[in-house]
Amino acid sequence: MDVAEILKSLTDAFPEAISEATAESEIRARSYVDKDEVRKVCQYLKDSLQFDHLCSVCGVDYIKRNELEVVYHIASYNHPVVLTLKARLPRENPEIESIVSVYWNANWYERETYELFGILFKNHPNLKPLVLPEDMIGEWPLRKDYEGFPNKTARNLV
Amino acid sequence: MEEQLEPNEMIVHLGPQHPMQPGPFRLNLRLKGETVVDADIELGFIHKGIEKILENKTYLQGITIVDRICYLVALVNEECFVGCTEKLLGIEPPERSQYIRVILDELTRIQSHLLGMGEFGEFIGFVSMFMYTIREREEVLGLIDMITGARVTHSYLKFGGVRDDLPDGFKEKALSVFNNLKKSVDDFEEMFHTDRIFRERTVGVGVLTADVAKNLGVSGPVLRATGVPFDIRKNEPYLVYKDLDFKVCTETAGDCFARVQVRINEIRESIYILEQCLDQIPGGPLFPEGTMYGRRTPVMRVPAGEVFHRVEDPRGEMGMYMISDGSDKPYRVKIRGPYYPTLQALPPLIIGTTVADVASISGSMDGCTSEADR
């Protein structure tokens, strides 16, 4: 399967949810996805287009646009194409559907993204802190307007 | 976990800093007799915040930071970070630099596998194995030291090339080390194959099938031990791997023994790649000619864009997602370490086994918690 075939199949199956689908090179493709349809799109990618390997899930803070993005890198064990699937979320109250039911290993990536960016993954089986202590919930350290936890605690202590 | 505890059950916490576990993470086991009925991993004891640090450092400073993700594979991490930046800059290192990078990547793979095998031996009470492998690893580290001038954190790669050329007499020194290493690897394999205790602790223990392994998202030797020939060096060749002859080592059993066997075969394959590199390495410049790369450049701006670059780490697929906004610092770097999914896959593997097998299963994954918990 090559990039053009994959992108065509994807846009044909989800004409409304998929936008700005572009091929960056022979082995890289990029597309935006509607945040409510992400689980269905992932299910389709896994079942029909052999995208059976989730590389990573991460968040990006675009503070100037007042948006957060969730970025999925989905690859395959059979073909070399990696699809970068992005979902735009508002910076206030960011919520997106969890894809743990499709890709089992999304579990920890989503937990990490939750505690570092404050993006809430709906229907996640176990959304609790993974790498940070629980009292840092609400700090969202990887957001661009994060001020620094130690300074803030010191101020609170005084 | 505690609430559902039945009268004949108990909770055992392994780690952090338990001698049986690779690095400080905590594994909570719920045991019924000797059987593990539930397992839960707690990460976050050495969280370094590398992704946030990278956002506040220039690209050149970032190279020293990615070294610290996992000190066993510092050069592979550098390769991934520098590869990302080079793709954004739209440059490609000259062939000589690419060969030197392949030499370093494969030396890194050999020393990481040697240490992993030794540690695995130690976990299951085969302590002399660690002594044997660490001795061979010192020789390999000596070769890396000859090139980069450091043993674990190198800062050797630069955008568009490498910092220094190969030293004089490197080829002769390397070939003599490889000759000894080949014999030692044969010895290790014979030890693993003939030692009855080792066989009983590993054969048929922690079996992963290909379908389950794919579903768990693992990569590297853990996946290849189940028979899936997935290797970034073949699937998505970077540097000069497409010009080199090597095969992807696979096994079919998917148990702890197969995982060790894959690593042994990969050491042999790496030596074969290195011999080809030393024969084929062409002369020429280390940096693209007629550019500023390689000179002293205090600030380097990178064109806006984003890239996802993958390399084959000794533990599997190492990927980085880098976004540049056109300034001299990366806007966002996401590190997708290879051990993260493998560690995540540990609880489903150990549920149902006995507590004694937990050591051999977690050891055969060849973990680096520092890299999972960035």
Side-chain angles (χ1 to χ4, degrees), chain A residues 38-68:
Chain A
V38 61
R39 202 188 61 76
K40 273 186 212 155
V41 172
C42 287
Q43 190 75 55
Y44 179 77
L45 284 170
K46 190 180 186 184
D47 295 343
S48 308
L49 298 176
Q50 298 182 329
F51 279 98
D52 47 1
H53 174 51
L54 180 77
C55 287
S56 76
V57 178
C58 67
V60 186
D61 184 9
Y62 289 101
I63 189 163
K64 283 182 190 153
R65 293 195 334 233
N66 202 23
E67 268 179 349
L68 288 168

Side-chain angles (χ1 to χ4, degrees), chain B residues 25 33 47 54 58 62 80 86 116 130 182 215 244 282 325 347 374:
Chain B
F25 75 96
H47 191 64
L54 286 175
T58 61
C80 193
E86 280 169 354
F130 188 75
K182 278 185 212 163
N215 194 27
L244 297 166
D325 59 350
R374 295 167 308 274

Side-chain angles (χ1 to χ4, degrees), chain A residues 23-48:
Chain A
E24 290 175 335
S25 69
E26 280 171 24
I27 49 171
R28 291 285 186 273
R30 189 196 323 177
S31 163
Y32 276 99
V33 65
D34 189 72
K35 69 182 164 79
D36 299 320
E37 299 288 321
V38 61
R39 202 188 61 76
K40 273 186 212 155
V41 172
C42 287
Q43 190 75 55
Y44 179 77
L45 284 170
K46 190 180 186 184
D47 295 343
S48 308

Side-chain angles (χ1 to χ4, degrees), chain B residues 54-55 57-59 81 322-323 328-333:
Chain B
L54 286 175
E55 288 177 14
K57 299 273 180 199
T58 61
Y59 285 88
F81 184 79
M322 187 188 275
I323 303 177
D328 57 345
K329 300 182 179 75
Y331 188 76
R332 169 94 169 96
V333 182

